[in-house]
Structure formats: structure tokens, C-alpha cells
Amino acid sequence: MTFSGIITALVTPFHQGKLDKNSFLKLLKSQVEQGVSHFVLDSTTGESPTLEERDLETLVSWFREFEKEKSLALRLMAGTGTFSTKKTVEKTHRAEKLGVDSVLVVTPYYNRPSQEGLFLHFKQIADSTSLPIILYNVPSRTACSLDVPTLARLSKIENIKGLKEASGDMNFFKQIRQACGENFSLLSGDDFTCVESFLSGGDGTISAASNVMGRTLKAFFERAKKNDTSVLEDFKKYEDFLKALYGETNPLGAKQVLSYFGVISSPETRLPLFNTEISPRLKPEVEKVQDFLL
């Protein structure tokens, strides 16, 4: 299995605290119409800290139901990372039983392990499953980061297939590419630098912004893979929009935009995140680029 192009970390639509099936199916339909066919459930963008085990079961069943009804061949990844190796193994086993195609495993947050602890953590998870694993490095949320030598060691484990790298440090990104080789999928996890990453040997992105601009990001990716460097200048037109989209904690902005366009019924989130209708800061930026959204 290869990992490339635009992979959307889907938001999880809610209505009065419960999963909203109609909104979820409308979101999937919108994504497919934008040319996206690879998705992540139960990620940070999907509000994984507040999702219950039964929620993931329900979302996977709805996803497969949509895929079958539309006669599509979609790919599904589930976020299974926690700050406990044992709990991550258990969560990965549950995801495997649900029939997902791969898992996204974030670095353990809060407890700040050493590099050797990180290596052993991911090795034990990889040894426990036959699923392809994408590592997820996001130091701004986890207070720890994989270093290049550790990633090089992990890249040699057969079912560790790649990395979602969300530090936004392009020098670090390039070092990873050199150390891990071309067969290791290197995916951007930072929407602000994703296009630069495409031009720097990146294989694609696992994106929150693609919930609302999947078609546009896909076009940028295709141009970058043809070495069209003018794509960087064109991408700058979206800087103010992205700054407004991330003006509050992800996925608040993405849900506001999706609700504004009627793709989901409400921008509702589960506490402790709290969301309202589209913010006065975000709305004018949406209006400027609305022809390129959804």
C-alpha cells in the first residue's frame, strides 16, 4: 500500500452530542466530488480525545456503507495513538477488527518519552499488527518529537510505511527524506507548509484544511509533482484564509466553514472544545476564496 496525494483527516459531525449521520455522508460526498479518496477517522481533527469506542465503530460502518452504495474504492485510516503503549496496541487491534486499511499513530503525548522509549513504543505497536502504520510527529500538541536517527531506525520496520510530519520545519522534513529513503512515505501534517513539502520530495499530505479545500490542494499537489514552482506563489493567496481557519484550535475553523456552506448541519464540537457559527474573522476570508472551496 502506498500513501500519497491528498488524505483528508475528516471532522466528526455532531448533533446534540451524538454522531450526525446525514452530515457525515454529505461530507464524504463533498470529498469524493473534490477528488479525494483516502481518509482518516478518529484523528485530532476528528476530535479523537472525545470519541468513544462505539463512535469509531459507527463511523467505520457508515463509511463502508457509503463506499458500497456509491460503488467506490476508498481507503480508510484510523487514528489509534495514545500516551500508553498498551492502550495504543489495544486500540490498534480494535481498528484492525473493524476493517480499516491502515492506522495513524501519534507520538505519545504528555509523558515526554526518550528517543529509545519512542522507538520501542512504535516497534511494539508494529509487532502487534499486520496493518500498515503511519507515524505522526506533531510536537506542538504532544511535547515530544521523533528525531531523524530514530525515524531512520523505524523506517526499516516492515509495516511502518511512513510519517505525517507536522512540525512545519522544512529543514527537518528534508533531513527525514534523505535519511529514510524514497520508499518511506513522507506526508505533510502542516497545512501552511504542505505545498513547499510537495516540492521538497514529500509524497502528499494528511490535511485538516482539505475538509474544505480538497480540490484546490489536490491541484497544487499535481502541479508540484510536475516541478511547477509557481505553485508556491499561488498558494500564498490562501495564507490569510489558513491563518483565519486556524485562528482557533483545529477543527473549530473547519467545522465553521463546513457548516457555513451547509455540508454539515452544525459546527458543534464536544467539550472541552466549544464552537459557534462562523467567526467574524473567518467569514471575510472565506468569501475571498469561496470559489476554491468545497
Side-chain angles (χ1 to χ4, degrees):
M1 181 180 290
T2 58
F3 296 85
S4 63
I6 307 304
I7 303 171
T8 297
L10 291 166
V11 305
T12 304
F14 299 114
H15 178 66
Q16 296 180 353
K18 297 181 180 179
L19 299 178
D20 182 346
K21 182 176 184 179
N22 287 338
S23 291
F24 181 74
L25 296 179
K26 284 181 71 175
L27 176 59
L28 279 178
K29 182 175 182 290
S30 169
Q31 285 288 298
V32 169
E33 288 173 349
Q34 293 178 72
V36 180
S37 60
H38 199 166
F39 304 96
V40 186
L41 293 174
D42 205 4
S43 65
T44 309
T45 301
E47 298 175 64
S48 56
T50 63
L51 290 186
E52 303 293 337
E53 183 179 334
R54 63 182 178 273
D55 290 332
L56 180 59
E57 293 175 5
T58 300
L59 290 169
V60 171
S61 69
W62 290 348
F63 183 95
R64 295 306 189 194
E65 175 187 316
F66 173 88
E67 183 182 36
K68 184 176 180 180
E69 286 182 357
K70 303 295 183 182
S71 299
L72 296 168
L74 305 177
R75 293 169 63 189
L76 182 60
M77 186 185 302
T80 60
T82 75
F83 52 35
S84 159
T85 305
K86 180 176 182 290
K87 290 179 180 178
T88 302
V89 167
E90 292 170 352
K91 192 172 181 182
T92 299
H93 285 170
R94 290 196 296 269
E96 188 167 13
K97 288 179 181 178
L98 291 174
V100 304
D101 302 306
S102 59
V103 290
L104 178 68
V105 184
V106 71
T107 52
Y109 40 90
Y110 190 75
N111 48 21
R112 302 177 70 184
S114 67
Q115 290 300 307
E116 188 62 20
L118 288 169
F119 175 79
L120 293 172
H121 170 79
F122 286 115
K123 184 179 185 302
Q124 187 167 327
I125 296 160
D127 289 344
S128 76
T129 182
S130 62
L131 286 175
I133 294 171
I134 298 295
L135 310 176
Y136 181 15
N137 195 57
V138 57
S140 64
R141 283 184 178 264
T142 61
C144 75
S145 179
L146 288 157
D147 67 16
V148 173
T150 303
L151 284 165
R153 291 173 70 195
L154 289 168
S155 71
K156 293 178 173 63
I157 296 173
E158 184 177 2
N159 60 329
I160 294 181
K161 298 298 186 182
L163 170 72
K164 176 183 178 182
E165 169 31 38
S167 72
D169 182 339
M170 289 309 303
N171 288 328
F172 183 51
F173 191 93
K174 292 171 185 176
Q175 289 170 22
I176 297 167
R177 169 50 78 214
Q178 185 172 9
C180 296
E182 296 299 320
N183 292 328
F184 187 74
S185 291
L186 186 51
L187 304 163
S188 172
D190 177 64
D191 284 324
F192 291 93
T193 58
C194 68
V195 171
E196 186 177 355
S197 80
F198 301 157
L199 291 168
S200 301
D203 295 294
T205 180
I206 297 179
S207 172
S210 61
N211 277 279
V212 299
M213 55 185 299
R215 181 183 295 107
T216 299
L217 286 179
K218 184 176 181 182
F220 282 145
F221 175 76
E222 290 170 352
R223 287 173 58 190
K225 290 296 100 179
K226 295 176 182 176
N227 295 315
D228 178 0
T229 55
S230 67
V231 71
L232 272 178
E233 192 63 33
D234 289 343
F235 187 60
K236 287 182 180 179
K237 299 171 185 176
Y238 297 88
E239 281 185 356
D240 289 341
F241 169 71
L242 288 174
K243 287 177 182 177
L245 189 73
Y246 286 103
E248 299 179 77
T249 303
N250 181 51
L252 301 186
K255 281 194 160 183
Q256 288 177 19
V257 176
L258 288 166
S259 176
Y260 179 74
F261 283 107
V263 177
I264 62 176
S265 64
S266 164
E268 181 182 334
T269 52
R270 284 179 175 168
L271 291 172
L273 292 183
F274 177 72
N275 212 1
T276 59
E277 298 302 320
I278 194 164
S279 71
R281 179 186 178 189
L282 181 54
K283 185 176 179 180
E285 299 305 328
V286 168
E287 291 173 347
K288 288 178 188 176
V289 297
Q290 62 183 347
D291 290 344
F292 303 95
L293 301 179
L294 303 173

